[in-house]
Amino acid sequence: MKTIALIAHDNKKDEMTEWAKRNKSVLSDYELCGTGTTAKLVAEATGLEVKRYLSGPLGGDQQIGAKIAERKIDVVIFFWDPLQAQPHDPDVKALLRIAVVYDIPIATNKATADYVVTSPLLSKE
């Protein structure tokens, strides 16, 4: 079973929970994980099980990156806020870089996330 990581910066958490509620039926077919508060909020909003890593600024982005390198995460949905400075910006860039290095889909906004979860490729090996 594929694993989808869910991450959202503070100003995007509401958008992530609304997106997850709309896509609950698709997400229920996959293992889910996420960083700190995002994982908690998505789990509460959808009733789905979401494995929770640390908050992004406390190392959660790095934990997700490590799981990508171990080939244990297959897709990342990361609603990031490009207009807000992040204290852990180097970790965010490292996460984006590792997703590219390992050639996994990484959606950084709602439109791309919709394309990813509706793609017939998502359910293939």
Side-chain angles (χ1 to χ4, degrees):
M1 177 180 288
K2 287 186 179 173
T3 300
I4 299 174
L6 305 171
I7 307 165
H9 284 152
D10 288 345
N11 291 340
K12 299 290 184 168
K13 289 192 191 313
D14 289 341
E15 187 176 330
M16 173 62 81
T17 55
E18 289 304 312
W19 178 86
K21 286 193 295 189
R22 274 197 336 277
N23 290 285
K24 179 181 175 179
S25 63
V26 173
L27 295 175
S28 68
D29 291 335
Y30 300 92
E31 302 254 343
L32 301 176
C33 65
T35 52
T37 307
T38 303
K40 179 182 176 229
L41 292 172
V42 169
E44 289 172 353
T46 63
L48 298 172
E49 186 176 326
V50 183
K51 179 178 171 83
R52 192 171 172 189
Y53 290 103
L54 295 171
S55 171
L58 299 178
D61 294 332
Q62 291 182 350
Q63 288 178 301
I64 298 279
K67 293 298 177 188
I68 291 169
E70 294 171 9
R71 303 274 187 196
K72 293 186 177 175
I73 291 178
D74 305 288
V75 173
V76 176
I77 308 295
F78 183 5
F79 289 1
W80 70 294
D81 185 354
L83 301 178
Q84 184 75 24
Q86 301 298 324
H88 62 296
D89 192 55
D91 295 340
V92 171
K93 287 186 175 136
L95 175 61
L96 295 170
R97 183 175 47 252
I98 202 77
V100 171
V101 167
Y102 283 88
D103 196 28
I104 69 160
I106 182 161
T108 57
N109 60 36
K110 190 170 48 171
T112 308
D114 288 339
Y115 274 93
V116 169
V117 298
T118 59
S119 170
L121 298 174
L122 185 60
S123 61
K124 294 192 181 204
E125 249 337 277

